[in-house]
Short mmCIF file of all heavy atoms in Angstrom, two decimals:
data_model
loop_
_atom_site.label_atom_id
_atom_site.label_comp_id
_atom_site.label_asym_id
_atom_site.label_seq_id
_atom_site.Cartn_x
_atom_site.Cartn_y
_atom_site.Cartn_z
N VAL A 1 -20.90 20.48 -29.11
CA VAL A 1 -20.82 19.42 -30.15
C VAL A 1 -19.65 18.52 -29.90
O VAL A 1 -18.53 19.03 -29.81
CB VAL A 1 -20.69 20.10 -31.62
CG1 VAL A 1 -20.59 18.98 -32.71
CG2 VAL A 1 -21.93 20.92 -31.88
N GLN A 2 -19.82 17.28 -29.70
CA GLN A 2 -18.73 16.30 -29.53
C GLN A 2 -18.38 15.67 -30.78
O GLN A 2 -19.23 15.09 -31.47
CB GLN A 2 -19.16 15.20 -28.50
CG GLN A 2 -19.39 15.79 -27.09
CD GLN A 2 -19.70 14.71 -25.98
OE1 GLN A 2 -20.00 13.61 -26.50
NE2 GLN A 2 -19.63 14.99 -24.84
N VAL A 3 -17.08 15.80 -31.23
CA VAL A 3 -16.63 15.33 -32.49
C VAL A 3 -15.39 14.48 -32.37
O VAL A 3 -14.85 14.41 -31.20
CB VAL A 3 -16.44 16.50 -33.48
CG1 VAL A 3 -17.64 17.17 -33.89
CG2 VAL A 3 -15.32 17.40 -32.89
N VAL A 4 -15.04 13.78 -33.38
CA VAL A 4 -13.82 12.95 -33.33
C VAL A 4 -12.84 13.49 -34.41
O VAL A 4 -13.24 13.68 -35.58
CB VAL A 4 -14.20 11.49 -33.68
CG1 VAL A 4 -12.88 10.60 -33.69
CG2 VAL A 4 -15.16 10.91 -32.77
N GLY A 5 -11.71 13.84 -33.91
CA GLY A 5 -10.73 14.53 -34.86
C GLY A 5 -10.13 13.57 -35.84
O GLY A 5 -10.20 12.35 -35.74
N GLU A 6 -9.61 14.14 -36.97
CA GLU A 6 -9.03 13.36 -38.04
C GLU A 6 -7.91 12.53 -37.45
O GLU A 6 -7.70 11.37 -38.10
CB GLU A 6 -8.53 14.30 -39.20
CG GLU A 6 -8.00 13.67 -40.39
CD GLU A 6 -7.35 14.49 -41.37
OE1 GLU A 6 -7.16 15.81 -40.95
OE2 GLU A 6 -6.99 14.15 -42.45
N SER A 7 -7.14 13.02 -36.53
CA SER A 7 -5.99 12.27 -36.04
C SER A 7 -6.35 11.01 -35.40
O SER A 7 -5.56 10.04 -35.24
CB SER A 7 -5.17 13.20 -35.12
OG SER A 7 -6.01 13.46 -33.96
N GLN A 8 -7.64 10.79 -34.97
CA GLN A 8 -8.08 9.54 -34.44
C GLN A 8 -8.68 8.47 -35.36
O GLN A 8 -9.31 7.50 -34.98
CB GLN A 8 -9.18 9.87 -33.35
CG GLN A 8 -8.68 10.86 -32.34
CD GLN A 8 -9.74 11.13 -31.19
OE1 GLN A 8 -10.36 10.23 -30.73
NE2 GLN A 8 -10.05 12.40 -30.99
N ARG A 9 -8.48 8.79 -36.68
CA ARG A 9 -9.09 7.85 -37.73
C ARG A 9 -8.72 6.46 -37.55
O ARG A 9 -9.51 5.48 -37.59
CB ARG A 9 -8.72 8.38 -39.05
CG ARG A 9 -9.43 7.54 -40.23
CD ARG A 9 -9.25 8.30 -41.52
NE ARG A 9 -10.17 7.75 -42.53
CZ ARG A 9 -10.58 8.35 -43.71
NH1 ARG A 9 -10.26 9.59 -43.77
NH2 ARG A 9 -11.38 7.72 -44.49
N LYS A 10 -7.38 6.19 -37.29
CA LYS A 10 -6.90 4.73 -37.18
C LYS A 10 -7.51 4.10 -35.94
O LYS A 10 -7.67 2.82 -35.96
CB LYS A 10 -5.43 4.83 -37.07
CG LYS A 10 -4.69 5.21 -38.33
CD LYS A 10 -3.16 5.12 -38.24
CE LYS A 10 -2.46 5.55 -39.47
NZ LYS A 10 -0.98 5.42 -39.42
N THR A 11 -7.91 4.80 -34.88
CA THR A 11 -8.40 4.19 -33.73
C THR A 11 -9.89 3.97 -33.93
O THR A 11 -10.47 3.06 -33.20
CB THR A 11 -8.13 4.94 -32.47
OG1 THR A 11 -8.73 6.33 -32.65
CG2 THR A 11 -6.66 5.27 -32.31
N VAL A 12 -10.43 4.69 -34.84
CA VAL A 12 -11.98 4.52 -35.04
C VAL A 12 -12.24 3.28 -35.84
O VAL A 12 -13.17 2.55 -35.71
CB VAL A 12 -12.59 5.78 -35.71
CG1 VAL A 12 -13.97 5.53 -36.20
CG2 VAL A 12 -12.55 6.95 -34.71
N VAL A 13 -11.36 3.09 -36.92
CA VAL A 13 -11.63 1.99 -37.85
C VAL A 13 -11.38 0.68 -37.03
O VAL A 13 -10.44 0.45 -36.21
CB VAL A 13 -10.51 2.06 -38.95
CG1 VAL A 13 -10.60 0.79 -39.81
CG2 VAL A 13 -10.64 3.26 -39.81
N GLY A 14 -12.45 -0.17 -37.17
CA GLY A 14 -12.43 -1.48 -36.50
C GLY A 14 -13.39 -1.48 -35.24
O GLY A 14 -13.74 -2.56 -34.83
N ARG A 15 -13.85 -0.21 -34.88
CA ARG A 15 -14.77 -0.20 -33.71
C ARG A 15 -16.26 -0.47 -34.24
O ARG A 15 -16.42 -0.40 -35.43
CB ARG A 15 -14.69 1.14 -33.05
CG ARG A 15 -13.33 1.39 -32.34
CD ARG A 15 -13.29 2.63 -31.52
NE ARG A 15 -14.23 2.58 -30.44
CZ ARG A 15 -14.41 3.50 -29.50
NH1 ARG A 15 -13.72 4.60 -29.61
NH2 ARG A 15 -15.21 3.37 -28.52
N THR A 16 -17.09 -0.64 -33.28
CA THR A 16 -18.41 -1.01 -33.73
C THR A 16 -19.36 0.14 -33.43
O THR A 16 -19.26 0.92 -32.44
CB THR A 16 -18.98 -2.19 -32.87
OG1 THR A 16 -18.06 -3.29 -33.09
CG2 THR A 16 -20.39 -2.58 -33.22
N ALA A 17 -20.30 0.31 -34.36
CA ALA A 17 -21.32 1.42 -34.24
C ALA A 17 -22.29 1.03 -33.17
O ALA A 17 -22.89 0.02 -33.28
CB ALA A 17 -22.05 1.67 -35.57
N ALA A 18 -22.42 1.89 -32.13
CA ALA A 18 -23.36 1.61 -31.01
C ALA A 18 -24.86 1.92 -31.36
O ALA A 18 -25.74 1.43 -30.83
CB ALA A 18 -22.95 2.33 -29.75
N VAL A 19 -24.92 2.87 -32.38
CA VAL A 19 -26.24 3.31 -32.85
C VAL A 19 -26.17 3.33 -34.37
O VAL A 19 -25.00 3.37 -34.92
CB VAL A 19 -26.64 4.74 -32.30
CG1 VAL A 19 -26.72 4.59 -30.77
CG2 VAL A 19 -25.54 5.76 -32.65
N PRO A 20 -27.26 3.49 -35.10
CA PRO A 20 -27.23 3.62 -36.57
C PRO A 20 -26.55 4.95 -36.84
O PRO A 20 -26.83 5.97 -36.40
CB PRO A 20 -28.72 3.63 -36.92
CG PRO A 20 -29.39 2.97 -35.87
CD PRO A 20 -28.67 3.34 -34.55
N LEU A 21 -25.52 4.86 -37.75
CA LEU A 21 -24.86 6.01 -38.24
C LEU A 21 -25.30 6.45 -39.58
O LEU A 21 -25.31 5.57 -40.56
CB LEU A 21 -23.31 5.80 -38.24
CG LEU A 21 -22.67 5.25 -36.85
CD1 LEU A 21 -21.27 4.84 -37.14
CD2 LEU A 21 -22.95 6.33 -35.75
N VAL A 22 -25.59 7.70 -39.85
CA VAL A 22 -26.21 8.04 -41.12
C VAL A 22 -25.10 8.85 -41.95
O VAL A 22 -24.35 9.63 -41.40
CB VAL A 22 -27.38 8.99 -40.87
CG1 VAL A 22 -28.07 9.47 -42.19
CG2 VAL A 22 -28.39 8.33 -39.91
N ALA A 23 -25.08 8.57 -43.26
CA ALA A 23 -24.09 9.20 -44.09
C ALA A 23 -24.30 10.75 -44.03
O ALA A 23 -25.51 11.17 -44.10
CB ALA A 23 -24.35 8.70 -45.56
N GLY A 24 -23.20 11.44 -44.06
CA GLY A 24 -23.19 12.86 -43.90
C GLY A 24 -23.29 13.52 -42.58
O GLY A 24 -23.00 14.70 -42.39
N SER A 25 -23.41 12.66 -41.53
CA SER A 25 -23.47 13.23 -40.18
C SER A 25 -22.06 13.12 -39.53
O SER A 25 -21.26 12.35 -39.97
CB SER A 25 -24.50 12.37 -39.25
OG SER A 25 -24.14 11.03 -39.23
N LEU A 26 -21.84 13.97 -38.52
CA LEU A 26 -20.58 13.93 -37.86
C LEU A 26 -20.49 12.74 -36.87
O LEU A 26 -21.54 12.41 -36.25
CB LEU A 26 -20.39 15.26 -37.05
CG LEU A 26 -20.37 16.58 -37.87
CD1 LEU A 26 -20.25 17.74 -36.90
CD2 LEU A 26 -19.20 16.52 -38.87
N LEU A 27 -19.37 12.23 -36.76
CA LEU A 27 -19.12 11.03 -35.76
C LEU A 27 -18.78 11.66 -34.42
O LEU A 27 -17.95 12.57 -34.27
CB LEU A 27 -17.99 10.23 -36.39
CG LEU A 27 -17.71 8.98 -35.54
CD1 LEU A 27 -18.81 8.01 -35.63
CD2 LEU A 27 -16.41 8.30 -35.98
N SER A 28 -19.44 11.11 -33.43
CA SER A 28 -19.17 11.53 -32.08
C SER A 28 -18.76 10.31 -31.20
O SER A 28 -19.01 9.18 -31.65
CB SER A 28 -20.40 12.18 -31.39
OG SER A 28 -21.46 11.20 -31.30
N PRO A 29 -17.98 10.48 -30.20
CA PRO A 29 -17.48 9.35 -29.36
C PRO A 29 -18.59 8.51 -28.87
O PRO A 29 -18.40 7.28 -28.76
CB PRO A 29 -16.64 10.11 -28.26
CG PRO A 29 -16.33 11.44 -28.81
CD PRO A 29 -17.41 11.81 -29.74
N GLY A 30 -19.70 8.98 -28.47
CA GLY A 30 -20.80 8.23 -27.87
C GLY A 30 -21.49 7.31 -28.89
O GLY A 30 -22.26 6.47 -28.48
N GLN A 31 -21.14 7.52 -30.17
CA GLN A 31 -21.78 6.61 -31.16
C GLN A 31 -20.98 5.33 -31.40
O GLN A 31 -21.50 4.46 -32.23
CB GLN A 31 -21.90 7.37 -32.47
CG GLN A 31 -22.84 8.59 -32.45
CD GLN A 31 -22.89 9.37 -33.78
OE1 GLN A 31 -21.88 9.55 -34.39
NE2 GLN A 31 -24.07 9.88 -34.10
N MET A 32 -19.92 5.11 -30.72
CA MET A 32 -19.11 4.00 -30.89
C MET A 32 -19.15 3.16 -29.63
O MET A 32 -19.06 3.74 -28.49
CB MET A 32 -17.73 4.33 -31.32
CG MET A 32 -17.59 5.10 -32.66
SD MET A 32 -16.00 5.67 -33.15
CE MET A 32 -15.69 6.91 -31.83
N GLY A 33 -19.07 1.86 -29.77
CA GLY A 33 -19.08 1.00 -28.52
C GLY A 33 -18.54 -0.33 -28.89
O GLY A 33 -17.82 -0.52 -29.87
N GLY A 34 -18.88 -1.38 -28.02
CA GLY A 34 -18.42 -2.71 -28.16
C GLY A 34 -19.25 -3.38 -29.30
O GLY A 34 -20.09 -2.81 -29.98
N SER A 35 -19.00 -4.64 -29.51
CA SER A 35 -19.56 -5.35 -30.58
C SER A 35 -20.99 -5.89 -30.20
O SER A 35 -21.84 -6.20 -31.07
CB SER A 35 -18.75 -6.64 -30.86
OG SER A 35 -18.48 -7.41 -29.79
N ALA A 36 -21.31 -5.93 -28.88
CA ALA A 36 -22.69 -6.35 -28.46
C ALA A 36 -23.76 -5.27 -28.85
O ALA A 36 -23.39 -4.04 -28.55
CB ALA A 36 -22.68 -6.64 -26.98
N PHE A 37 -24.85 -5.75 -29.32
CA PHE A 37 -25.91 -4.76 -29.60
C PHE A 37 -27.21 -5.42 -29.26
O PHE A 37 -27.45 -6.59 -29.71
CB PHE A 37 -25.89 -4.33 -31.00
CG PHE A 37 -26.97 -3.23 -31.33
CD1 PHE A 37 -26.63 -1.83 -31.14
CD2 PHE A 37 -28.14 -3.58 -31.85
CE1 PHE A 37 -27.63 -0.92 -31.34
CE2 PHE A 37 -29.11 -2.60 -32.10
CZ PHE A 37 -28.82 -1.29 -31.90
N PRO A 38 -28.09 -4.75 -28.62
CA PRO A 38 -27.98 -3.44 -28.04
C PRO A 38 -26.90 -3.46 -26.86
O PRO A 38 -26.62 -4.46 -26.31
CB PRO A 38 -29.29 -3.06 -27.43
CG PRO A 38 -30.28 -4.08 -28.03
CD PRO A 38 -29.45 -5.25 -28.33
N PRO A 39 -26.27 -2.20 -26.71
CA PRO A 39 -25.28 -2.17 -25.61
C PRO A 39 -25.85 -2.51 -24.22
O PRO A 39 -27.14 -2.50 -24.05
CB PRO A 39 -24.82 -0.72 -25.74
CG PRO A 39 -25.13 -0.23 -27.00
CD PRO A 39 -26.43 -0.99 -27.42
N VAL A 40 -25.06 -2.91 -23.26
CA VAL A 40 -25.47 -3.26 -22.04
C VAL A 40 -26.30 -2.05 -21.37
O VAL A 40 -25.76 -0.96 -21.43
CB VAL A 40 -24.34 -3.64 -21.11
CG1 VAL A 40 -24.81 -3.93 -19.65
CG2 VAL A 40 -23.67 -4.84 -21.66
N GLY A 41 -27.45 -2.33 -20.86
CA GLY A 41 -28.21 -1.27 -20.30
C GLY A 41 -29.18 -0.57 -21.17
O GLY A 41 -29.87 0.30 -20.78
N GLN A 42 -29.23 -1.02 -22.45
CA GLN A 42 -30.10 -0.33 -23.45
C GLN A 42 -30.90 -1.42 -24.09
O GLN A 42 -30.57 -2.62 -24.16
CB GLN A 42 -29.28 0.42 -24.50
CG GLN A 42 -28.62 1.62 -23.93
CD GLN A 42 -27.97 2.51 -25.02
OE1 GLN A 42 -27.22 2.02 -25.87
NE2 GLN A 42 -28.21 3.81 -25.01
N SER A 43 -32.02 -0.90 -24.75
CA SER A 43 -32.90 -1.92 -25.39
C SER A 43 -33.52 -1.29 -26.62
O SER A 43 -33.44 -0.05 -26.75
CB SER A 43 -34.15 -2.31 -24.47
OG SER A 43 -33.63 -2.89 -23.18
N VAL A 44 -34.02 -2.16 -27.48
CA VAL A 44 -34.69 -1.68 -28.72
C VAL A 44 -36.18 -2.02 -28.67
O VAL A 44 -36.42 -3.25 -28.46
CB VAL A 44 -33.96 -2.28 -30.03
CG1 VAL A 44 -34.80 -1.83 -31.21
CG2 VAL A 44 -32.53 -1.82 -30.11
N ILE A 45 -37.05 -1.13 -28.89
CA ILE A 45 -38.42 -1.44 -28.90
C ILE A 45 -39.06 -0.76 -30.08
O ILE A 45 -38.47 0.07 -30.77
CB ILE A 45 -39.21 -0.87 -27.61
CG1 ILE A 45 -38.98 0.70 -27.56
CG2 ILE A 45 -38.63 -1.42 -26.35
CD1 ILE A 45 -39.89 1.35 -26.47
N ALA A 46 -40.29 -1.23 -30.49
CA ALA A 46 -40.99 -0.61 -31.59
C ALA A 46 -42.26 -0.08 -31.12
O ALA A 46 -42.93 -0.55 -30.20
CB ALA A 46 -41.39 -1.77 -32.62
N VAL A 47 -42.48 1.17 -31.60
CA VAL A 47 -43.80 1.82 -31.21
C VAL A 47 -44.52 2.22 -32.54
O VAL A 47 -43.92 2.37 -33.61
CB VAL A 47 -43.52 3.12 -30.45
CG1 VAL A 47 -42.79 2.88 -29.12
CG2 VAL A 47 -42.52 4.07 -31.22
N GLY A 48 -45.86 2.19 -32.44
CA GLY A 48 -46.64 2.66 -33.56
C GLY A 48 -46.97 4.14 -33.45
O GLY A 48 -47.42 4.62 -32.41
#
């Protein structure tokens, strides 16, 4: 489990969510990224 410690709160505030973040879930480093969405190298598609 990759988590973000409480001591890093100030560095997290102001960053951009790279994926949808759900209330109640733990924050992990890979869920944060730059302001561009989708991130470089990723795409969003819809499936039925």
Side-chain angles (χ1 to χ4, degrees):
V1 179
Q2 294 184 343
V3 294
V4 179
E6 179 188 13
S7 60
Q8 302 180 49
R9 184 167 190 156
K10 291 183 178 180
T11 62
V12 170
V13 174
R15 297 186 64 179
T16 302
V19 296
L21 305 178
V22 183
S25 62
L26 298 177
L27 183 66
S28 64
Q31 294 175 325
M32 299 176 290
S35 58
F37 185 83
V40 176
Q42 294 187 311
S43 302
V44 176
I45 62 172
V47 295

